[in-house]
Amino acid sequence: MNLVLLLSIFILCFGAVDSGGTSRPKVVNIGGIFTFPTIAGKVSRIAIKAAVQDVNSDKSILGGTKLSISFHNSNFSGFLGIIGALRYMESDTVAIIGPQHAAMAHVLSHLSNELHVPFLSFTALDPSLTSLQYPYFVQTAPNDQYQMTAIADMINYFGWADVIAIYTDDDQSRNGVVSLGDRLVERRCKISYKAALPPDPSATRNEVKDQLAKIQIKESRVIVVHTYSKTGLLIFDVANELGMMEEGYVWIASAWLSTVLDSTSPLSPNTYNSIKGALTLRPHTPDSKRKRDFISRWNQLSNGTIGLNAYGLYAYDTVWLLAHAVKLLLEKGVTISFSNHTGLSKLDGGGTMNLGKLSVFDGGEELLDNILKTNMVGLTGPLRFHQDRSPTNPSYEIINVIENGNLRIGYWTNYSGLSVMSPEILYTKPPNRSISNQHLYNVIWPGGTMDTPRGWVFPNNGKQLRIGVPYRVSYREFVSPVNGSNVVQGYCIDVFLAAIKLLPYPVPYRFILFGDGKQNPSYHELANMVASGEFDAAVGDITIVTNRTRTVDFTQPYIESGLVVVAPVRKLNSSAWAFSRPFTPMMWTVTSAFFLSVGAVVWILEHRTNDEFRGPPKKQIITILWFGFSTMFFAHSKSSIPAIYSYFPNVERTAAIFPITGIDSLITGNERIGYQVGSFAENYLIEELNIPKSRLMALGSPQAYATALEQGTVAAVVDERSYIEHFLSKHCKFSIRGQEFTRSGWGFAFPRDSPLAIDMSTAILTLSENGELQKLHNIWLSRKACPWQGSDVVSEQLQLQSFSGLFLICGCVCIFALLMHTCLMLHKFRQHPPEVHEPSRHGSSPSARLQTFLSFVDKKEDQSRKRSKRKWKDTLSISYGTEDGSMNASKRTQMGIS
């Protein structure tokens, strides 16, 4: 015990000695730069003093070394903040807590870079204060990038497309809003308007009122306020006065409002009324015994003058963070020493600035490294830094301001996004930021409603939407005025009316005809008028094409309609002599001569050996003609007439094919092309397909199409399928050629980023799913189609009439042959010997003679005639293509010639 007592006396008398023999300093100076009148300034001073006292009371931290803190009041002035920092640099200060605002941090960080004195701030949270440019500036609380991500997630969660940002025009607020814009873009949202106010607290009531009056006439009703407590409360007070805290508005405040709620108690009734329904963020700090103990001490520390907020906890932890870093520095045996800056000594020159007193902290680099390597648990939970110097797992509570209090509706963590579970529970589960996993409790919005506001209104204080409608002179079934009035009707109008009925809110509107009524208007010009604000929307048969989507937003297409080519149907009419079309007269002459020549050659070859090719000249001529005729028409010959006529339907069909087969034939040809006045087809043909404008002809109506096509003024017409199908239902002399060569549709046009375009798209999809869209199409556009529409070629079936001439010839030949045979039989009957005849029982009556003649015809011939007849039949069998095991010379010869 005596040894311990002596050692303690030695330490108290001479100071602590480190392992390297270097004595510890008795005092380590740190500074603090704050704006004392602000909530953050008041809370921070109290928390920092308490932390310094607790550190000095804990001998395990710095041993006999004491921390000494001094404060400087910047009083909203960047200049005074710089002066305070310079004074600290002259008094051997190892680190500075602050400054309170980012504007000063940007300037003072250049000073700290030169003199190696770290700055630690829990309120200057500008995301642009990066470690690459400002390595000696350390943010000990999550910077504004995280709370802006939380706000963007909230906006996306509630389904709002754009917001308005009100901010103080200084580095911190301005760069925070920039970060918010970046996070919103990632979620396909945007800031539609930014309202900048003078730096806090210089904004006046009139300046705030002027900005809010501008916001009132904007579409968006989602307003984000990123400023400071004095200016922020003024904004809400003026907004309440202007009726902007009523139903339909959404107000989201960054964490400044939660500090007001936590530190100002009680709030005045007027203040509560002006912020009711607003949402705000509070940095989340997990529950712990140390935190509860500190909160219980707070009233004693503050004497009840101000409440504790989250940034007071970060202020307390910042002191402990710095104390642990100094401890590591002393344990390493680093001497707390300062040296003159070589560059500054040359600038004195006898002047009064006395810059030479500014000294460089020799251990500043090691102290900074120790700060960044610190791993501790404070009042705010685990405190350590990632490689990018961001705090570990930043999280926020989402607060809904209600009557005389506030309601926590959920949490936001960088780990899992929005949730009603506390971050401590979420950290025990795998990270999950999917949209389906996001959840918040119900919100009481401004006006006391629990229905989520739409987030936007129609511009011009809810006046009727001015909707441009094309004044068509053709295809009036799609859109047209009623009897020359301003009342419009048609398929497109009915689709719009059906969709707008499905919206969960009323939409005031009026239709305005666009065009002179003499020719179809330019749809490109109509889209530009929507983009320029002359119209609030455009409804009609407006095709969604690329150049229009660059200036306006379209709804979901409600009908598909790409470009197609239409051309006349030119088919051949059938007649009694249609069978003669495959051959020209010369071809018929040559073919007949060829087959007669074949018969003559066969006769020459068979004359000596075949009894059927012998006999009287008359018989031999008949044999030659018959053989040639059978060669022409019997199916065994591949060059026979039936073989050729088996292709006759194809020949007839080929004759009906159009000269225009599609867009490719139009591109390569020189024919003139028609298009509809006002259609995008003109620009497409010229700009996309490089067809010369001189080849194009504008046509104003379906009748103009038909006239131009029939007269040959144009070879084809290019237009949208929806128009062409309606045209063909009344003009069956024409048909679509080739395939649809563009893919597009019709939609309603709205200004860029209009929320109404999104809601109308949803309504159109609903109409499509429930079948209402098809019903409207059937009512206005359903027509009976021509038989061949939709087919590339005309398929014509040959009728009996087509071969009536051929059948007539064949019939005449058969009748002639029958008459000749009858005459021959009668001639033979007369020359028949009398003994052949049986005695007639009935004399020589006509009926008896006819019966005798028929018996003669039916009687068998003698054996020699039978053999001759069998040989003749064999010859005919060869002619008809019959095959057997043995082929005679006649068959071989005939097949060879064939």
Side-chain angles (χ1 to χ4, degrees):
M1 292 290 299
N2 292 336
L3 180 60
V4 174
L5 179 62
L6 290 174
L7 181 60
S8 301
I9 295 173
F10 177 81
I11 292 174
L12 291 175
C13 295
F14 299 99
V17 180
D18 64 8
S19 58
T22 302
S23 61
R24 287 176 177 265
K26 292 183 179 181
V27 176
V28 174
N29 296 322
I30 59 176
I33 302 176
F34 297 95
T35 299
F36 291 173
T38 63
I39 292 176
K42 293 175 182 178
V43 172
S44 298
R45 289 177 66 199
I46 297 171
I48 289 173
K49 286 180 179 180
V52 170
Q53 182 180 355
D54 292 346
V55 167
N56 289 336
S57 300
D58 190 344
K59 300 299 182 180
S60 65
I61 303 301
L62 295 179
T65 301
K66 301 289 185 181
L67 285 181
S68 177
I69 181 74
S70 60
F71 293 97
H72 176 78
N73 182 14
S74 61
N75 198 27
F76 300 104
S77 171
F79 174 73
L80 293 180
I82 294 173
I83 295 299
L86 291 174
R87 287 179 177 175
Y88 286 136
M89 301 301 182
E90 294 176 355
S91 58
D92 296 343
T93 300
V94 300
I96 298 174
I97 299 177
Q100 184 173 331
H101 300 293
M104 284 185 285
H106 280 279
V107 176
L108 298 180
S109 291
H110 292 288
L111 186 62
S112 65
N113 289 347
E114 289 293 326
L115 303 180
H116 295 178
V117 177
F119 279 76
L120 293 84
S121 179
F122 47 86
T123 55
L125 303 176
D126 180 358
S128 67
L129 288 166
T130 62
S131 60
L132 293 176
Q133 186 177 8
Y134 309 111
Y136 280 84
F137 183 83
V138 180
Q139 293 170 328
T140 58
N143 67 42
D144 285 346
Q145 172 183 326
Y146 296 101
Q147 69 167 326
M148 292 306 161
T149 303
I151 291 174
D153 278 346
M154 291 164 56
I155 292 169
N156 186 52
Y157 172 81
F158 290 110
W160 300 313
D162 59 69
V163 303
I164 292 174
I166 306 177
Y167 63 98
T168 295
D169 196 13
D170 64 6
D171 289 348
Q172 178 154 328
S173 296
R174 188 187 312 112
N175 291 330
V177 169
V178 170
S179 180
L180 173 61
D182 293 341
R183 303 290 85 77
L184 288 174
V185 168
E186 293 172 357
R187 292 155 180 80
R188 296 188 177 182
C189 306
K190 69 180 181 67
I191 298 176
S192 59
Y193 181 74
K194 296 179 181 179
L197 296 172
D200 191 71
S202 59
T204 67
R205 192 175 191 86
N206 286 335
E207 289 171 331
V208 172
K209 184 176 290 186
D210 288 343
Q211 287 292 351
L212 291 180
K214 295 177 182 178
I215 291 172
Q216 277 187 305
I217 63 175
K218 303 296 182 183
E219 277 190 3
S220 177
R221 286 294 182 263
V222 182
I223 304 170
V224 177
V225 182
H226 185 47
T227 180
Y228 306 95
S229 59
K230 188 175 190 307
T231 301
L233 291 178
L234 178 60
I235 291 171
F236 278 102
D237 187 38
V238 175
N240 190 42
E241 177 186 324
L242 296 177
M244 299 177 67
M245 294 304 299
E246 298 175 354
E247 185 175 347
Y249 281 89
V250 176
W251 290 86
I252 302 175
S254 54
W256 67 267
L257 181 55
S258 67
T259 65
V260 173
L261 296 174
D262 293 338
S263 299
T264 306
S265 181
L267 287 174
S268 67
N270 181 65
T271 300
Y272 254 119
N273 287 333
S274 65
I275 61 176
K276 278 193 306 184
L279 298 179
T280 186
L281 299 177
R282 174 192 291 138
H284 174 72
T285 55
D287 187 33
S288 66
K289 184 178 184 304
R290 288 188 63 195
K291 177 182 173 181
R292 292 193 298 270
D293 291 343
F294 185 76
I295 293 174
S296 65
R297 291 171 53 197
W298 184 257
N299 283 336
Q300 179 183 357
L301 294 173
S302 64
N303 295 321
T305 58
I306 193 168
L308 176 64
N309 59 50
Y311 292 104
L313 302 178
Y314 279 108
Y316 184 90
D317 283 352
T318 298
V319 174
W320 278 89
L321 174 69
L322 181 58
H324 281 285
V326 172
K327 175 186 178 182
L328 292 176
L329 189 71
L330 297 177
E331 288 177 350
K332 291 179 181 178
V334 176
T335 302
I336 305 298
S337 61
F338 298 84
S339 58
N340 295 331
H341 192 288
T342 56
L344 293 176
S345 60
K346 300 177 182 179
L347 297 177
D348 284 348
T352 58
M353 293 184 67
N354 199 20
L355 296 177
K357 288 188 176 181
L358 298 177
S359 55
V360 178
F361 177 30
D362 296 329
E365 186 175 352
E366 288 83 356
L367 179 62
L368 175 64
D369 187 59
N370 291 341
I371 291 172
L372 298 177
K373 290 181 178 178
T374 300
N375 187 353
M376 56 172 279
V377 178
L379 301 183
T380 60
L383 183 59
R384 57 184 181 272
F385 297 93
H386 294 299
Q387 291 182 350
D388 61 354
R389 295 193 179 184
S390 62
T392 304
N393 296 328
S395 57
Y396 292 89
E397 299 171 7
I398 302 175
I399 306 300
N400 181 204
V401 181
I402 58 174
E403 186 76 32
N404 295 323
N406 54 77
L407 178 68
R408 186 170 60 203
I409 62 169
Y411 300 88
W412 178 90
T413 67
N414 195 44
Y415 187 76
S416 295
L418 301 174
S419 176
V420 295
M421 291 187 292
S422 67
E424 291 75 33
I425 297 176
L426 292 174
Y427 294 150
T428 63
K429 301 179 179 181
N432 185 353
R433 288 184 59 89
S434 66
I435 295 179
S436 60
N437 195 53
Q438 309 296 295
H439 188 62
L440 294 175
Y441 289 124
N442 292 332
V443 179
I444 300 177
W445 303 99
T449 180
M450 296 186 68
D451 296 330
T452 302
R454 189 169 75 237
W456 64 276
V457 295
F458 299 108
N460 304 321
N461 292 320
K463 294 181 180 178
Q464 287 184 326
L465 290 180
R466 298 159 300 167
I467 300 179
V469 176
Y471 194 164
R472 294 196 58 88
V473 297
S474 62
Y475 297 113
R476 298 170 63 85
E477 292 83 358
F478 295 103
V479 55
S480 63
V482 178
N483 299 326
S485 66
N486 289 328
V487 179
V488 291
Q489 64 179 5
Y491 168 69
C492 302
I493 300 300
D494 279 4
V495 171
F496 174 79
L497 296 177
I500 213 164
K501 288 179 182 178
L502 296 178
L503 299 183
Y505 47 85
V507 179
Y509 62 88
R510 61 190 175 97
F511 293 126
I512 303 174
L513 290 172
F514 170 68
D516 56 11
K518 298 178 181 178
Q519 65 177 11
N520 294 331
S522 169
Y523 283 61
H524 181 69
E525 184 179 348
L526 177 59
N528 287 339
M529 293 180 72
V530 175
S532 65
E534 295 182 56
F535 289 133
D536 299 313
V539 171
D541 47 338
I542 307 170
T543 307
I544 304 172
V545 293
T546 303
N547 61 341
R548 294 174 187 169
T549 58
R550 296 190 180 104
T551 58
V552 297
D553 280 351
F554 283 94
T555 61
Q556 173 80 14
Y558 58 88
I559 188 173
E560 294 184 359
S561 185
L563 290 178
V564 294
V565 176
V566 64
V569 176
R570 295 192 180 101
K571 67 171 186 174
L572 297 175
N573 295 323
S574 289
S575 66
W577 302 98
F579 74 93
S580 64
R581 287 178 184 161
F583 291 162
T584 63
M586 179 60 71
M587 185 63 182
W588 273 112
T589 303
V590 173
T591 302
S592 300
F594 172 77
F595 285 123
L596 290 175
S597 299
V598 170
V601 170
V602 172
W603 177 81
I604 294 172
L605 295 176
E606 295 289 330
H607 176 67
R608 290 178 59 85
T609 59
N610 194 331
D611 292 339
E612 299 301 329
F613 288 87
R614 300 182 65 85
K618 179 180 178 181
K619 178 184 177 182
Q620 296 184 43
I621 292 173
I622 292 174
T623 302
I624 292 173
L625 293 176
W626 179 258
F627 191 87
F629 182 80
S630 65
T631 304
M632 291 175 65
F633 289 96
F634 289 163
H636 75 273
S637 176
K638 294 183 179 180
S639 60
S640 66
I641 295 299
I644 294 174
Y645 272 90
S646 66
Y647 298 98
F648 183 79
N650 294 329
V651 175
E652 180 78 1
R653 187 159 51 241
T654 303
I657 295 178
F658 306 108
I660 302 300
T661 60
I663 188 61
D664 293 334
S665 62
L666 285 181
I667 295 174
T668 57
N670 296 316
E671 301 88 351
R672 298 206 71 182
I673 305 170
Y675 67 92
Q676 183 182 176
V677 174
S679 170
F680 79 99
E682 178 185 12
N683 288 337
Y684 187 87
L685 293 172
I686 296 174
E687 298 175 5
E688 300 296 331
L689 302 182
N690 299 317
I691 295 177
K693 189 174 183 179
S694 59
R695 290 182 57 196
L696 304 182
M697 174 181 290
L699 301 172
S701 66
Q703 187 56 45
Y705 287 8
T707 302
L709 290 170
E710 288 174 351
Q711 295 179 353
T713 309
V714 296
V717 170
V718 173
D719 205 349
E720 297 181 59
R721 177 177 285 274
S722 296
Y723 297 128
I724 293 300
E725 288 178 346
H726 191 68
F727 166 74
L728 293 179
S729 67
K730 299 180 180 180
H731 298 83
C732 288
K733 296 180 180 180
F734 312 99
S735 179
I736 294 175
R737 306 305 307 135
Q739 300 296 321
E740 188 173 325
F741 59 92
T742 65
R743 296 291 181 184
S744 60
W746 293 351
F748 305 134
F750 291 89
R752 293 299 298 271
D753 304 315
S754 171
L756 188 57
I758 299 174
D759 292 349
M760 287 293 287
S761 292
T762 303
I764 289 172
L765 288 174
T766 302
L767 291 175
S768 177
E769 292 169 358
N770 63 22
E772 187 66 24
L773 206 59
Q774 185 60 43
K775 291 179 182 178
L776 294 175
H777 185 278
N778 294 340
I779 292 172
W780 285 99
L781 306 178
S782 181
R783 296 291 186 275
K784 184 178 180 180
C786 297
W788 56 76
Q789 285 177 13
S791 176
D792 285 347
V793 295
V794 177
S795 179
E796 182 185 90
Q797 289 184 324
L798 293 177
Q799 302 173 6
L800 180 62
Q801 179 185 357
S802 299
F803 283 95
S804 59
L806 184 60
F807 292 151
L808 178 61
I809 293 176
C810 293
C812 291
V813 170
C814 293
I815 293 173
F816 177 76
L818 182 60
L819 289 175
M820 291 295 293
H821 179 69
T822 302
C823 292
L824 181 60
M825 290 295 102
L826 287 173
H827 177 70
K828 290 183 178 181
F829 178 75
R830 291 192 189 101
Q831 294 178 348
H832 202 273
E835 61 269 21
V836 176
H837 297 282
E838 297 180 358
S840 178
R841 297 178 181 175
H842 306 285
S844 60
S845 65
S847 59
R849 291 184 61 83
L850 177 61
Q851 185 177 0
T852 304
F853 174 73
L854 292 178
S855 298
F856 171 77
V857 173
D858 186 57
K859 189 176 181 179
K860 290 184 179 180
E861 298 180 1
D862 57 17
Q863 192 65 28
S864 61
R865 289 184 178 272
K866 290 180 180 179
R867 285 197 300 269
S868 175
K869 185 176 182 180
R870 186 169 53 252
K871 190 172 183 181
W872 172 254
K873 287 182 179 180
D874 291 342
T875 303
L876 292 180
S877 298
I878 294 174
S879 299
Y880 278 92
T882 304
E883 295 184 1
D884 54 17
S886 60
M887 297 181 65
N888 56 29
S890 174
K891 182 177 179 181
R892 289 195 301 270
T893 304
Q894 192 174 29
M895 292 298 293
I897 294 174
S898 298

